[in-house]
Amino acid sequence: MLQIDKLSPKPYYIQIYDYFKHEIESGRMRAGTKLPSMRSLARYTGISKLTVEKAYFQLANEGYIVGHRKARFEAAALSVNKRERAVGQYIKAESGQPPWKYDFASGDVDLEGFPLILWRRYMHRVLSDPAILLAGQDEQGAPALREALSGYMYETRGVHAAADNIIIGNGVTPLLRILGYILRNKHSRIAVEEPGFRLGREVFRSGGYEIVPLPLRDDGLDVDALAQADTGLVYVTPSHQFPTGKVMPVGQRYKLLDWAVQEDGLIIEDDYDSELRYEGRPIPALQGLDRSDRVIYLGALSKVLPFFVRISYLVLPDPLMDMYRRERSLFRQSASVPEQCVLAEYIRSGEMRKQIRRLRRLYQEKGRKTEYLLQAYFGTAVEVSRVVSGVHCQIAFASPLSETELTEAAKREGCLVLPMESFYEKHIDNGVRRFLLSFARIRTDMLEEAVAALHRAWTAGGVRNNG
């Protein structure tokens, strides 16, 4: 029977999730076996009913358990191949390293900032109405979600996007693969920011594109260098450059759009965390300034929706939509139809705006606390960037150890970190070690012990507190 280890750093809901997942995958809990009610399991384990509900929701979302109206959840039927494959994955995970206690690397939303009960209510409504699911079966994405996103993007980002020009995907990777495929007849090279978004760079590289790294200036991408780069395709993050956080001013944006017109080029704008700005007004999207169909807009909701909802969207100009439609039979919709339908309702009801307001307050508080703690523990030996947007801050310091060695030292203290050198195509070692630290997946009440663990790891590695 399930036993909760209250001394373990693993959250209680994850312990519950892992237990039932393993029981179902191994076949010890057969299809149709009733799970304990949430109330009885909460009473048995001595934890809150809400914690049990989080675990059950995740199991149901992944298909391990199923619910029926006014009845307890029960174990779902897994195919033999699926069960064998899942068991193999479970054993591999168990035999490897344990989950990191302090995840400074993930930018995903932690469940402390998301109303799971409300999401479950919407999911139940969708799953109870087959007509909604049937209407959502479209390879380009559920029509209801594309309509909702059309209005949402215009109101929040100034993006002009007809529903017919939006493509939905399960994260940015499948959307970038579609884009790389339809552009390959005209383009073979793509310019990227240096440093820049590593996943985007690698997806295009795997598609046969030559990667052309371009340096950043204080105002973002060096457009003059782009003009000399002999490429008609560029990937940029102008509203909140990843990973430096720089913002491209409007003058530089118009200069970039002029380059695209003059060179018959295309701009891929990745607007990955545009909703999360804490000072001043949100920076409008570059796409809203485009009058020549030169900007391809890429948006993601991973910073405002929990990790198990992977929905991103691509907005193609009319000429590229024609190319997409000609090749459409080659592409398959990768995002869950029920989740698309739920998200459509979530946006239409106004709950998305409420969620973003909640997260702005939460992340602004966590960002300020993270800055304070890093400065308190490390003193003047380190430079800590201010958090004005997003869920990351940068820390820089001199050390005789490499970023790779410091990353391993952090792991030994239970901290997973992102070294800045990983975002460069051609990194130059100048003795300054830079890391991008996320506070999104670390609970507010655990931030101090997380920073203390990082301080222990890196003080031994040559970072001295001079404060």
Side-chain angles (χ1 to χ4, degrees), residues 8 54 62 92 96 110 119 143 189 195 207 213 237 252 325 327 432 439:
S8 170
K54 285 183 180 180
E62 295 184 14
K92 182 178 179 181
D110 186 78
W119 188 265
R189 310 175 80 230
T237 51
Q252 195 74 350
R325 291 185 183 107
E327 305 286 356
V432 177
F439 45 81

Side-chain angles (χ1 to χ4, degrees), residues 2 29 50 59 95 136 176 246 298 311 327 351 363 411:
L2 170 66
M29 182 174 281
L50 180 60
L59 289 163
S95 63
L176 289 177
K246 298 177 186 289
L298 182 66
I311 294 181
E327 305 286 356
E351 289 297 334
Y363 286 157
K411 287 180 180 178

Side-chain angles (χ1 to χ4, degrees), residues 5-225:
D5 181 358
K6 297 192 175 182
L7 298 179
S8 170
K10 185 183 292 187
Y12 295 160
Y13 80 93
I14 295 295
Q15 293 186 44
I16 298 170
Y17 165 86
D18 285 346
Y19 172 80
F20 285 112
K21 178 183 174 184
H22 187 213
E23 292 295 293
I24 294 168
E25 288 178 341
S26 66
R28 286 196 293 268
M29 182 174 281
R30 297 181 180 277
T33 302
K34 299 288 187 183
L35 274 70
S37 71
M38 295 180 191
R39 189 181 304 278
S40 65
L41 185 60
R43 189 183 305 117
Y44 172 81
T45 56
I47 60 179
S48 73
K49 182 182 172 185
L50 180 60
T51 300
V52 177
E53 187 173 61
K54 285 183 180 180
Y56 278 20
F57 179 88
Q58 182 64 20
L59 289 163
N61 192 64
E62 295 184 14
Y64 286 100
I65 62 177
V66 293
H68 302 286
R69 186 174 178 82
K70 296 183 179 180
R72 300 208 312 263
F73 281 102
E74 61 185 44
L78 301 184
S79 68
V80 174
N81 289 340
K82 181 178 180 180
R83 186 167 68 237
E84 288 175 350
R85 184 168 62 250
V87 171
Q89 291 170 345
Y90 181 88
I91 293 171
K92 182 178 179 181
E94 287 293 298
S95 63
Q97 291 181 316
W100 306 110
K101 187 173 182 181
Y102 311 112
D103 186 354
F104 285 103
S106 173
D108 292 342
V109 175
D110 186 78
L111 291 179
E112 83 172 312
F114 190 75
L116 277 174
I117 294 175
L118 182 61
W119 188 265
R120 186 187 70 173
R121 189 182 306 152
Y122 285 146
M123 180 64 76
H124 182 268
R125 186 184 307 169
V126 166
L127 294 178
S128 300
D129 190 346
I132 297 177
L133 297 176
L134 289 173
Q137 291 182 321
D138 188 311
E139 293 293 357
Q140 192 173 325
L145 177 56
R146 290 190 279 116
E147 286 288 350
L149 283 171
S150 177
Y152 171 79
M153 284 188 280
Y154 180 74
E155 293 172 13
T156 61
R157 305 296 300 128
V159 171
H160 303 281
D164 287 345
N165 290 64
I166 300 173
I167 302 169
I168 307 298
N170 179 29
V172 299
T173 301
L175 295 177
L176 289 177
R177 293 200 185 283
I178 290 172
L179 194 55
Y181 185 87
I182 64 175
L183 295 178
R184 66 180 185 174
N185 288 336
K186 185 174 180 180
H187 300 277
S188 60
R189 310 175 80 230
I190 181 170
V192 298
E193 298 165 323
E194 176 81 337
F197 181 44
R198 180 175 52 194
L199 177 60
R201 186 174 67 205
E202 295 306 325
V203 169
F204 276 96
R205 195 196 312 275
S206 68
Y209 286 76
E210 179 185 350
I211 306 302
V212 183
L214 297 179
L216 292 178
R217 309 189 313 187
D218 289 339
D219 54 4
L221 182 79
D222 188 338
V223 181
D224 293 328

Side-chain angles (χ1 to χ4, degrees), residues 4 54 109 118 134 153 158 229 234 281 321 374 396 441 466:
I4 294 294
K54 285 183 180 180
V109 175
L118 182 61
L134 289 173
M153 284 188 280
V234 62
R281 294 173 60 84
M321 276 307 302
L374 287 168
R441 289 294 295 274
N466 299 323

Side-chain angles (χ1 to χ4, degrees), residues 363-415:
Y363 286 157
Q364 186 173 32
E365 175 191 343
K366 291 177 76 170
R368 287 174 176 171
K369 186 172 183 178
T370 302
E371 288 177 45
Y372 169 79
L373 290 169
L374 287 168
Q375 290 166 344
Y377 274 84
F378 287 93
T380 57
V382 303
E383 177 184 340
V384 182
S385 68
R386 290 187 61 236
V387 180
V388 297
S389 184
V391 296
H392 298 89
C393 67
Q394 285 187 57
I395 185 170
F397 52 86
S399 173
L401 300 183
S402 68
E403 289 182 12
T404 299
E405 291 170 323
L406 289 165
T407 299
E408 292 303 313
K411 287 180 180 178
R412 289 193 288 272
E413 289 291 339
C415 302

